[in-house]
Amino acid sequence: MAAAEAPEWIVREDATLPVLVALYLRQVLGIRFPEELPHLRGIPPRSAPISEYDDRSAIERQWRAYWDLTVEPQANPSPVPLELIDGFETVVALPVEGFDELADAIAPHGTDAVAYARAEHQHYRSRLGAGASYRAYASAIAEHERVVGRRAHSFELNVQVLPFTQRGVWWIGALTIAVTDGLRGDIAAFDAAVAPIIADIA
């Protein structure tokens, strides 16, 4: 009985293709939201924001909804069916209604966006061996438990390890953070950066 009542924590870490593609599109379209997130490395930022004739407000509004669907799809279900967008393989699916402007804007970028995402995803997998993510978070949780003098509360955390131009950690969803790949690879710095996150949720 005691084992059944013991707190448990779930950490899912990855550099997923959908999130990488969404951020690639954010950059090439000149969308600033989320404003706190830096640019991805290796992609030249758009020289000017989306112009008025591109229907900037509609594209930005639709991208925000697409971002929510991509980061935490279970928490942000679409009220209408989704359809895959040509040129993005199975990586991008948008609601069948209300996303025409975004679909048109991203259409020219499919091949480059997917290629970039696949390369960065492979880079992430090659840098972190099996079990590395478990050890990293177990250490942070154990330290939190020592500091507060109790077991960590049950929690769920999703972590996207991304090739940002600046080091840091950012909340990008209710249960999801983004961390720079360089910071994730620096054990001491990562422990220090993730400690406030663990303290906040555990």
Side-chain angles (χ1 to χ4, degrees), residues 112-199:
D112 290 343
V114 172
Y116 177 88
R118 288 197 182 284
E120 291 299 333
H121 178 74
Q122 185 57 43
H123 180 66
Y124 161 76
R125 291 180 62 89
S126 67
R127 286 188 65 186
L128 294 175
S133 62
Y134 174 85
R135 289 191 297 273
Y137 298 98
S139 172
I141 293 165
E143 179 60 25
H144 171 69
E145 291 177 339
R146 282 193 292 271
V147 169
V148 299
R150 61 164 173 79
R151 293 288 305 276
H153 298 305
S154 296
F155 70 87
E156 181 177 342
L157 181 66
N158 303 307
V159 182
Q160 293 288 335
V161 181
L162 302 169
F164 286 136
T165 56
Q166 300 172 28
R167 284 165 62 111
V169 178
W170 300 266
W171 282 103
I172 58 173
L175 301 173
T176 308
I177 61 171
V179 59
T180 314
D181 55 356
L183 177 61
R184 177 64 183 85
D186 183 333
I187 296 173
F190 178 72
D191 283 350
V194 81
I197 302 291
I198 299 300

Side-chain angles (χ1 to χ4, degrees), residues 37-113:
L37 287 185
H39 284 140
L40 296 172
R41 291 192 308 272
I43 307 171
R46 186 177 172 114
S47 57
I50 302 166
S51 62
E52 290 304 320
Y53 69 82
D54 281 328
D55 200 350
R56 175 186 174 88
S57 62
I59 292 171
E60 289 198 350
R61 183 177 64 253
Q62 291 165 21
W63 188 89
R64 288 183 183 215
Y66 157 60
W67 174 243
D68 289 341
L69 283 168
T70 301
V71 172
E72 292 183 345
Q74 292 181 331
N76 300 282
S78 172
V80 297
L82 303 178
E83 63 180 351
L84 294 173
I85 303 302
D86 289 343
F88 289 88
E89 301 178 10
T90 59
V91 179
V92 176
L94 295 177
V96 297
E97 298 174 3
F99 285 75
D100 292 345
E101 291 84 359
L102 180 62
D104 289 344
I106 68 176
H109 304 291
T111 300
D112 290 343

